[in-house]
Each structure stands twice: as structure tokens, then as C-alpha cells.
């Protein structure tokens, strides 16, 4: 075979601390907010309402994607762009 035998140990963190990332980004069907909240859409500890939206907008600014929400807002208000439903896999592609 290609690999030689070996020895060692494998340690796994607790299930709650695991996150598997696919080689290609996965985008859900839904709003920009849902893309950015996935997989924690039903997280009871997550902030809600305006606090949540301001936190999301702050993260977009931190990663230099601050124009994304405003681009898809119909009202001109940046926060309303979080409700936009688009083909996010094409827009947020590699």
C-alpha cells in the first residue's frame, strides 16, 4: 500500500466543540441573515432582534464585507439587506 504502519493516538474534542468545514462552502436557501447564522439558527443563547443584526453587521465590517447587506437592501437601510434572499452560493463563492 501507500502508507506504512504506524502507531500513535487520536484525541477528539467534545462533540459540542467540533465543527467540520466542507472543502466547498455550503449555503442554505434563505436570507443573508440565515447564511451568516447557520448552523446556529435555533440557538437559544444567540442574541435576537436588533442586537443580533448589529452584531452581524459588525462582523461583516470586520471581514471587509460591510457593503454586502446594503447592496441587497430595498429600503437603503443596511440592516434590511439581511432579509434579502439570493443565490448565495453564487454570490459568496470562492
Amino acid at each position: 500500500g501507500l502508507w506504512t504502519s504506524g502507531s500513535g493516538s487520536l484525541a477528539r474534542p467534545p462533540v459540542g466543540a467540533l465543527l467540520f468545514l466542507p472543502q466547498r462552502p455550503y449555503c442554505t436557501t434563505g436570507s443573508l441573515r440565515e447564511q451568516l447564522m447557520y448552523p446556529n439558527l435555533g440557538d437559544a443563547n444567540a442574541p435576537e432582534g436588533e442586537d443580533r443584526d448589529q452584531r452581524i453587521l459588525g462582523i461583516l465590517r470586520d471581514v471587509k464585507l460591510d457593503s454586502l447587506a446594503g447592496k441587497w437592501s430595498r429600503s437603503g437601510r443596511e440592516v434590511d439587506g439581511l432579509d434579502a434572499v439570493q443565490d448565495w452560493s453564487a454570490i459568496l463563492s470562492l
Side-chain angles (χ1 to χ4, degrees), residues 13-24:
V15 173
L18 283 177
L19 176 66
F20 288 95
L21 295 175
Q23 288 181 332
R24 296 175 58 197

Side-chain angles (χ1 to χ4, degrees), residues 21-45:
L21 295 175
Q23 288 181 332
R24 296 175 58 197
Y26 172 74
C27 291
T28 64
T29 302
S31 69
L32 178 58
R33 181 183 296 104
E34 291 167 334
Q35 302 309 306
L36 301 172
M37 295 285 298
Y38 182 84
N40 297 320
L41 295 174
D43 187 349
N45 296 319

Side-chain angles (χ1 to χ4, degrees), residues 37 43-53 55-56:
M37 295 285 298
D43 187 349
N45 296 319
E48 294 185 14
E50 192 171 327
D51 289 339
R52 174 199 57 207
D53 292 346
R55 186 170 177 195
I56 291 171

Side-chain angles (χ1 to χ4, degrees), residues 27-32 35 72 84-93:
C27 291
T28 64
T29 302
S31 69
L32 178 58
Q35 302 309 306
W72 300 105
V85 176
Q86 300 291 330
D87 180 3
W88 297 113
S89 61
I91 295 167
L92 301 174
S93 67

